[in-house]
Amino acid sequence: MRTEAEAAGQPLEPGDFVQLPVPIIQQLYHWDCGLACSRMVLRYLGQLDDGEFENALQELQLTRSIWTIDLAYLMRHFGVRHRFCTQTLGVDKGYKNQSFYRKHFDTEETRVNQLFAQAKACKVQVEKCTVSVQDIQVHLAQGHVAIVLVNSGVLHCDLCSSPVKYCCFTPSGHRCFCRTPDYQGHFIVLRGYNRATGCIFYNNPAYADRG
């Protein structure tokens, strides 16, 4: 397959195009996108065993409320070297009134903040920082992948007809986001990029055939 740059007679340099063979695993429910992404990463690393994964969920007491810090502990459980980059060390109270978080915010705040407080002692690397597109490209060029929390309402899929509808990113049978302007947290796995077009390739657990 030729890229736009190659078609225009501009040969890509090593590192200008990366596409890692990360298998896509579809989420089963509206709440388990982060777990599906974790399964993708572990399978990419050759470490996924369904029985061990289920045991890990029980040991870490992961339920239907999955935060990014939970995924960091999950990766640590499997011995995956990783770095959790976040702009807020703990629960961001600014999300308290967002409909996506409102239902479980108060009950989860203490648990999540405790995980952040114990992270260093548990050897979970957490850094307060922002990550640029260039940082992501360097990371991917080294053969590493990244689980990223995004607002599903602003994802763009090149395979969808225009204008893109938010429901393209929700599993069949679940509530559509088309008329929901609020924040809708969703985990995806970054697996490559095309520097010439500025595209980032990702696996979306909401679909079994789109990334």
Side-chain angles (χ1 to χ4, degrees):
M1 182 177 68
R2 300 175 69 196
T3 67
E4 293 178 12
E6 290 172 321
Q10 302 171 4
L12 293 176
E13 296 295 329
D16 281 347
F17 183 90
V18 172
Q19 186 159 285
L20 303 175
V22 182
I24 188 161
I25 296 177
Q26 190 173 14
Q27 64 191 87
L28 300 177
Y29 312 99
H30 69 278
W31 54 267
D32 67 334
C33 55
L35 299 183
C37 288
S38 298
R39 288 177 183 270
M40 292 186 218
V41 170
L42 291 173
R43 182 165 291 175
Y44 170 69
L45 297 174
Q47 297 182 221
L48 181 60
D49 177 277
D50 289 333
E52 290 182 10
F53 191 84
E54 293 301 324
N55 290 336
L57 299 186
Q58 294 182 20
E59 183 175 330
L60 296 173
Q61 299 181 345
L62 298 184
T63 58
R64 293 190 177 189
S65 182
I66 304 296
W67 294 63
T68 313
I69 187 69
D70 289 316
L71 302 185
Y73 273 80
L74 186 58
M75 290 297 106
R76 176 67 183 89
H77 178 91
F78 284 98
V80 176
R81 290 184 59 191
H82 68 282
R83 182 174 56 142
F84 172 25
C85 298
T86 176
Q87 296 185 56
T88 306
L89 295 176
V91 173
D92 186 346
K93 290 183 178 294
Y95 286 108
K96 183 173 183 177
N97 293 321
Q98 290 279 6
S99 59
F100 182 79
Y101 287 102
R102 191 179 301 133
K103 185 177 180 180
H104 302 290
F105 193 93
D106 291 333
T107 56
E108 286 289 275
E109 183 176 11
T110 299
R111 182 187 74 84
V112 172
N113 282 337
Q114 186 174 17
L115 289 177
F116 272 95
Q118 297 174 343
K120 185 175 182 179
C122 294
K123 297 182 180 180
V124 175
Q125 187 175 357
V126 180
E127 293 184 24
K128 183 179 180 180
C129 62
T130 57
V131 178
S132 68
V133 172
Q134 289 72 28
D135 293 331
I136 291 173
Q137 290 175 343
V138 169
H139 184 76
L140 292 168
Q142 295 172 346
H144 306 312
V145 295
I147 298 176
V148 179
L149 178 64
V150 299
N151 181 356
S152 65
V154 299
L155 284 177
H156 174 77
C157 177
D158 288 338
L159 299 180
C160 297
S161 59
S162 297
V164 175
K165 294 184 177 180
Y166 301 158
C167 53
C168 293
F169 305 104
T170 188
S172 177
H174 292 296
R175 182 169 61 88
C176 176
F177 299 150
C178 293
R179 296 181 177 84
T180 305
D182 291 342
Y183 174 85
Q184 297 289 336
H186 185 56
F187 288 104
I188 58 175
V189 178
L190 305 189
R191 60 176 175 83
Y193 63 86
N194 184 338
R195 202 187 303 272
T197 62
C199 292
I200 297 290
F201 306 133
Y202 60 87
N203 281 4
N204 184 352
Y207 266 87
D209 61 348
R210 297 188 183 182

